[in-house]
Amino acid sequence: SSNQDWMFLVGYLCFAIGGILWSCYAIFSQKWGVDAISCASIVNVVSIIYLPLIYPFVNLDKASLLLIGTQLFYQGFLIAVVGLVLYIKSVEIIGIVESASFNALTPTITMVAGFLIVSYKPSILEVIASLLVSFGMLVVVKGSYANR
């Protein structure tokens, strides 16, 4: 249906904008010379500021305390602290392009994890695309390593 097609386009647009913002985060953290721990600290403190603005739109009625606690640990600590620190540390050590190229593995890792965890069955096109993207990422990394 045209509504579903429209929503797919909106989803792709959201992903593209998120990717652009993530790239800006890496570029500016390097440009400004902010270390990984400081970057993660700034992001998390600023996140607290906008939390009251989002809270009215959050529906936690059906979420158990275990689920909420798990998500607080996973998203609030592992992603928002550990993930940010590791990502910015990789930008500091190997550079912007090399670090960003590893983000291209996200769909492949998601596909494999989905297969293993929730029995997701990827199409042959998804498998081929994942292999091509993974190969492209390896070319970028190998090429930049060879130029050092």
Side-chain angles (χ1 to χ4, degrees), residues 4-141:
Q4 188 176 17
D5 293 342
W6 173 250
M7 290 309 295
F8 273 156
L9 289 175
V10 169
Y12 289 130
L13 180 62
C14 289
F15 188 78
I17 292 169
I20 290 166
L21 293 172
W22 193 246
S23 294
C24 290
Y25 176 71
I27 291 166
F28 286 114
S29 70
Q30 188 172 53
K31 178 181 170 115
W32 295 329
V34 181
D35 66 280
I37 300 290
S38 296
C39 274
S41 299
I42 292 165
V43 167
N44 284 290
V45 169
V46 171
S47 297
I48 292 170
I49 294 169
Y50 73 81
L51 188 61
L53 300 173
I54 327 175
Y55 185 75
F57 303 101
V58 176
N59 181 3
L60 296 176
D61 294 342
K62 296 180 183 176
S64 69
L65 287 178
L66 177 63
L67 178 62
I68 293 170
T70 302
Q71 289 303 312
L72 279 172
F73 175 73
Y74 182 73
Q75 292 184 33
F77 178 70
L78 289 181
I79 293 174
V81 177
V82 176
L84 285 176
V85 168
L86 293 176
Y87 182 71
I88 294 304
K89 199 66 176 164
S90 77
V91 170
E92 290 174 8
I93 296 169
I94 65 175
I96 298 168
V97 173
E98 294 84 354
S99 296
S101 64
F102 276 93
N103 287 334
L105 289 178
T106 301
T108 302
I109 293 167
T110 303
M111 183 182 67
V112 171
F115 175 78
L116 296 172
I117 297 169
V118 296
S119 301
Y120 176 75
K121 294 178 181 34
S123 69
I124 189 70
L125 188 59
E126 289 172 318
V127 172
I128 291 170
S130 290
L131 291 172
L132 288 171
V133 168
S134 298
F135 177 74
M137 187 270 316
L138 289 172
V139 169
V140 169
V141 171

